[in-house]
Amino acid sequence: MGLTAEKKRLIIRRVIFAVLLIFCAVIQNTPGLLPEPFGAHQLAVTVMVVCIAMFERETAGMLLGLLAGVVLDVTGGTQGINAILLTVVGLVCGMLVNNMIRNNIVTALIFSALALLVHTFVYWIAAGVHGGRLLLTFCLPSVLYTVIFTPLWFLITRGISRLLPSEVKR
């Protein structure tokens, strides 16, 4: 009993998404690789988790969010907070698109902005020592800088999903 063509496409698509998440984590955590206007950093991994969950739905979104969070925790030295946050983001975004909301760029922008605000706010709380300065010089500029590129990440994710379609039960 072998894999059907649809299941193969689904597996290939999800492997591509996993590799893309790891690639985004490397880009995000390599200093000086991307421009940093006003001290802002590109937080593409969070946006990619949102976009992937919108196309892959709950379970795959949650698991790919967990993978992305673990990669960020390993490369960033945090204590598991990224894994928890991105797992929840993947689950919630997948559930909302599956049950309530349409899958489009506007939804991706709203979900990404909310996920980034929560993620950076939790990061700000965890860093606590720097107070309002970190919020104004890193967190909010990073959210704005990342949200601007959300349509690009959404279109990449949608392109991969359309290139490798699958009707296998998700």
Side-chain angles (χ1 to χ4, degrees):
M1 188 158 122
L3 291 175
T4 65
E6 282 197 39
K7 284 190 179 185
K8 286 180 186 177
R9 282 193 302 267
L10 182 66
I11 291 169
I12 291 169
R13 184 173 70 218
R14 289 182 178 166
V15 167
I16 290 171
F17 285 147
V19 169
L20 189 58
L21 283 168
I22 293 169
F23 175 74
C24 286
V26 169
I27 288 174
Q28 180 175 317
N29 289 323
T30 303
L33 189 59
L34 295 175
E36 298 176 0
F38 307 109
H41 294 272
Q42 184 63 245
L43 305 173
V45 175
T46 304
V47 173
M48 283 304 299
V49 168
V50 168
C51 292
I52 290 170
M54 289 176 68
F55 286 96
E56 293 295 316
R57 307 298 192 248
E58 304 99 344
T59 305
M62 178 183 68
L63 293 174
L64 288 167
L66 176 64
L67 170 71
V70 168
V71 169
L72 282 181
D73 287 333
V74 168
T75 59
T78 54
Q79 302 297 319
I81 197 142
N82 290 313
I84 294 167
L85 284 173
L86 293 179
T87 300
V88 171
V89 165
L91 176 66
V92 169
C93 289
M95 286 176 61
L96 287 172
V97 168
N98 196 35
N99 297 313
M100 301 174 90
I101 299 174
R102 300 194 76 163
N103 188 353
N104 56 38
I105 289 180
V106 174
T107 304
L109 283 166
I110 293 168
F111 285 174
S112 294
L114 290 173
L116 286 164
L117 284 170
V118 168
H119 197 186
T120 57
F121 184 72
V122 169
Y123 178 81
W124 177 63
I125 295 293
V129 181
H130 303 290
R133 183 168 181 256
L134 181 66
L135 181 66
L136 295 175
T137 61
F138 175 74
C139 294
L140 295 179
S142 295
V143 168
L144 182 62
Y145 180 42
T146 305
V147 167
I148 290 170
F149 290 97
T150 297
L152 171 69
W153 296 115
F154 179 82
L155 293 173
I156 289 170
T157 307
R158 184 174 71 182
I160 292 168
S161 291
R162 287 185 177 171
L163 184 65
L164 297 164
S166 176
E167 294 301 320
V168 174
K169 185 174 190 258
R170 296 175 180 186

